[in-house]
Amino acid sequence: MFLSTSSIGARTSALGTSSRLVWTSARPRVVKTADYCKNLVQRLDRDAFLTSYFYPPSIRPSFFAIRAFNIETATVKDQVSNSALGRIRMQWWRDTVNTLYREPSPIQHPVALALHDAVRKANIPEYHLNRIIDARDQDFDNAHHMTMESLRAYSESTSSTILYILIPLLVHPQGPGASRLSDFSHAASHLGFAQTIITLIRSLPYHASKRYMPIPTEVTAKHSVSHEDVFRYGGSAKGVSDAVYEFACVAKEGLDVARSIFAEGTFKGDGLSIVKVPPEVLPIFLSGVPIASYLSRLESVDFNAFHTSLQFSDWKLPFQVWRNRRWRRF
């Protein structure tokens, strides 16, 4: 049981079409930007792809563009051999974002083209996109998060900011839900932090194989975890499961706080809150379903993040997302 405490894993006609065409690869071929972004998300962010079905068809191209932008910036660190090359790539994305807001035609890159359409459709603040880029850029300086507060700040600038960007896609300033924008952002902040933690726990086996510890030192030191032992022995290392447990509890707390913002009373007798997410933002908060699913699976293997069963996708997840959508919860 969890204690109560006070990353990047439909048919074309359903996408709502984007007629933008770009040339890619050494041998020219024409690709729809919406299809490119959708395929990228389907391949590298399965959880986001599963929730995409519940966005209105007219919104899906923008959703995929934003999620593809997140993937592009998040994976730079793993794609380059040194930080200098990574910073060059991040500067390229800064320049690209600049053209989205100041030039009639963006850089001819499929994600940039799709993002250009999304920016104009939803009036996405330039600040949010640059905030994500800056956080990814600073990540080259931070070899490891020392404290939970450092990780929380990073999450606020990445995972939570992606959710902030999605809110205006679904909530019109004069439409239903406009009066609760601050509540939606508050819930997104906590959900984003939970999402960041789960991404790091999931990635622990991979990062350990690269001799990197994704769990903040504040947590591992508390449980006397030797990073070297984790790199050598994985889940058998002393204290690592306890550290994962504490880390997971913080994610569970973030998920519970996000849920509580949408509480509408209690069930008779047991005092449990009834969570009913407003329909207009429900697709965004369905991203909490994979978090809850992974936490449950992690608990079932006694918080051994290296357990082989956790290296495979949960075949029940699509049904869980659908069921939670039906009941307007996450």
Side-chain angles (χ1 to χ4, degrees):
M1 297 296 291
F2 284 101
L3 293 178
S4 175
T5 60
S6 295
S7 253
I8 290 178
R11 292 282 186 261
T12 300
S13 60
L15 285 172
T17 77
S18 172
S19 59
R20 295 263 192 164
L21 303 176
V22 295
W23 295 98
T24 62
S25 80
R27 185 173 59 188
R29 64 189 177 90
V30 180
V31 181
K32 286 186 177 180
T33 60
D35 288 349
Y36 179 92
C37 293
K38 171 196 164 186
N39 292 337
L40 185 65
V41 174
Q42 183 177 20
R43 184 163 50 90
L44 297 179
D45 193 352
R46 177 176 179 264
D47 292 350
F49 185 77
L50 288 176
T51 67
S52 69
Y53 291 100
F54 304 104
Y55 283 78
S58 62
I59 299 297
R60 285 179 205 158
S62 297
F63 169 81
F64 284 126
I66 292 164
R67 284 294 182 179
F69 169 75
N70 183 52
I71 292 170
E72 289 278 356
T73 56
T75 55
V76 168
K77 191 172 184 178
D78 289 333
Q79 293 173 348
V80 297
S81 57
N82 59 68
S83 61
L85 292 175
R87 291 186 186 284
I88 291 172
R89 187 63 178 171
M90 288 303 178
Q91 185 58 49
W92 184 89
W93 273 110
R94 282 196 191 88
D95 295 340
T96 298
V97 168
N98 183 64
T99 65
L100 296 181
Y101 291 87
R102 292 169 182 82
E103 302 292 340
S105 299
I107 293 173
Q108 297 299 295
H109 181 282
V111 176
L113 289 167
L115 203 56
H116 181 265
D117 292 339
V119 162
R120 275 144 183 74
K121 182 175 294 185
N123 193 29
I124 297 170
E126 183 180 3
Y127 162 76
H128 283 329
L129 299 179
N130 281 323
R131 187 183 190 187
I132 294 169
I133 295 169
D134 289 344
R136 305 291 192 199
D137 196 353
Q138 292 170 13
D139 202 27
F140 289 108
D141 291 327
N142 301 323
H144 178 75
H145 287 284
M146 299 297 293
T147 67
M148 289 298 295
E149 281 307 308
S150 169
L151 180 62
R152 186 182 293 274
Y154 177 78
S155 171
E156 184 67 18
S157 298
T158 53
S159 297
S160 296
T161 296
I162 287 293
L163 300 181
Y164 298 155
I165 292 173
L166 293 174
I167 291 172
L169 283 179
L170 297 174
V171 182
H172 190 274
Q174 282 76 47
S179 63
R180 297 196 64 188
L181 282 173
S182 61
D183 286 341
F184 300 156
S185 295
H186 185 198
S189 176
H190 289 282
L191 185 61
F193 190 37
Q195 197 170 56
T196 295
I197 292 173
I198 293 306
T199 298
L200 293 179
I201 295 176
R202 277 175 163 174
S203 71
L204 181 55
Y206 168 79
H207 280 128
S209 71
K210 304 295 182 180
R211 301 185 63 80
Y212 173 80
M213 171 54 72
I215 302 176
T217 300
E218 175 184 346
V219 178
T220 57
K222 182 178 178 180
H223 298 282
S224 302
V225 176
S226 165
H227 292 189
E228 186 62 34
D229 284 352
V230 176
F231 302 155
R232 290 184 177 184
Y233 309 119
S236 301
K238 178 183 176 182
V240 66
S241 292
D242 293 333
V244 169
Y245 169 69
E246 180 173 335
F247 205 30
C249 282
V250 179
K252 179 62 163 55
E253 179 185 17
L255 184 63
D256 287 343
V257 172
R259 286 168 169 166
S260 70
I261 293 169
F262 301 109
E264 293 188 350
T266 58
F267 292 110
K268 291 182 179 180
D270 56 18
L272 295 175
S273 296
I274 302 171
V275 175
K276 291 290 184 182
V277 181
E280 57 271 18
V281 292
L282 180 58
I284 296 172
F285 291 97
L286 285 176
S287 59
V289 177
I291 296 173
S293 173
Y294 183 82
L295 284 171
S296 178
R297 295 170 65 204
L298 183 63
E299 183 179 18
S300 71
V301 295
D302 200 23
F303 301 93
N304 178 8
F306 292 82
H307 197 279
T308 54
S309 67
L310 298 178
Q311 309 310 311
F312 299 94
S313 299
D314 184 0
W315 65 270
K316 300 187 296 296
L317 187 56
F319 171 72
Q320 291 170 350
V321 174
W322 173 83
R323 183 179 61 189
N324 279 271
R325 184 257 189 180
R326 180 181 181 186
W327 293 103
R328 290 172 47 194
R329 65 191 183 191
F330 60 97

